[in-house]
Amino acid sequence: MSTRWGLTIPLAGMALPEQREIISELPALGYTDAWSAETNGADAFTPLALASQWAACSAPAATPQPSRELRLGTAIVPVYTRGPALLAQQAATMAELTPGRFVLGIGTSSPAIVERWNGVPFVEPYKKVRDTLRFLQRALAGEKVSDEALGVKGFKLDLVPEIPPKIVLAALRPGMLRLAAREADGAITNWLAPHDVRKVRGELGAEKELIARVFVCPTENVDEARQLGRWLIAAYMTVPVYAAFHEWLGRGDALKPMNEAWAAGDRKGALEAIPDEVVDDLIVHGSPAACRTRIREYQENGLDTPVLMVLPGGGLTMPDAVRALAPTAG
């Protein structure tokens, strides 16, 4: 598999229309992928649709065609917050807009997003992802699909993409990783150190693509990076699914004081309880050159596609940080 270098869009701290210039530069900078996220900001599909037009063939004409257009993916859209038919329609639309270059990443998301923000019961997550995956594979191939478990009766796409998109699963632990290995085109994971990749890859196997979002703060101010990293780690690692993930990865004891303080309502104490070693494991920071070296460590340990989540730092504007972290920058 060719070396890939992805970026999370939209970029933080910038209005979406203001991002056209930097997104149009991505292919020339050496970025191969742009992946969206969906929590409480932009939806997952609109930024990708814009990127498909903004970055279309923007690299120099001498560049080989496969690297002149970005691969675009969702990382991820929840399987609960859209009906199966609507999810198939959105995937088909993106697949038609970007033939052979769209990847649909789906997953459970979290109880906070699904239940608290969308009012949808978060029940049987493994089955929901499995059944939605199977439905989408059939629907995007043009079949008429009924699925009792999903409540779907006789759905058939009018817009069947000529090249069905690949489908990858958000997967943090063995059960979902093995489902991705058996039935999907790959897995997306999150919040890893480079050495953690080997354990995840061991469950997924060698054949399927492994994608991971990597949090990157391009600053040589260690205190600045660690302060930001602690806020992010506390926000994520106190969510049960991430707590269980890092228990599996071997960080349970290191994160236990944080989780206990957080559960007691002591937010300041929770932040202070996060060891520097954990922050340095999970947040890539340093000069842009040092960050690029660290990202390549993920690839050396078996990650196919790092997807940079660029964090503010080092006095760089977000576009300049993206340029400085590009694979062609060093």
Side-chain angles (χ1 to χ4, degrees), residues 126 129 169-183 186-189 192 196-205 210 241-250:
Y126 179 89
V129 169
L169 302 184
L172 297 180
R173 287 187 289 163
M176 203 69 80
L177 286 164
R178 292 168 188 165
L179 175 63
R182 289 193 308 270
E183 300 193 33
I188 303 170
T189 192
L192 293 171
D196 294 326
V197 174
R198 295 192 295 271
K199 186 162 188 175
V200 174
R201 174 61 78 184
E203 297 294 338
L204 181 65
L210 180 59
V241 66
Y242 279 103
F245 179 44
H246 282 271
E247 182 78 34
W248 178 62
L249 289 175

Side-chain angles (χ1 to χ4, degrees), residues 231 234 238 258-259 261-274:
W231 278 106
T238 52
M258 177 202 71
N259 279 297
W262 190 273
D266 182 2
R267 300 296 189 253
K268 182 180 178 182
L271 293 172
E272 292 173 349
I274 303 170

Side-chain angles (χ1 to χ4, degrees), residues 119-180:
V120 177
F122 189 85
V123 294
E124 298 186 310
Y126 179 89
K127 289 178 63 177
K128 182 71 170 179
V129 169
R130 181 199 63 196
D131 294 345
T132 303
L133 169 66
R134 293 172 178 175
F135 166 83
L136 289 168
Q137 288 170 329
R138 295 177 62 194
L140 290 165
E143 296 182 33
K144 185 175 182 178
V145 186
S146 294
D147 189 303
E148 183 176 351
L150 295 175
V152 177
K153 299 178 181 179
F155 173 74
K156 189 176 189 303
L157 277 171
D158 278 344
L159 176 65
V160 179
E162 183 176 346
I163 304 174
K166 291 184 176 181
I167 304 176
V168 295
L169 302 184
L172 297 180
R173 287 187 289 163
M176 203 69 80
L177 286 164
R178 292 168 188 165
L179 175 63

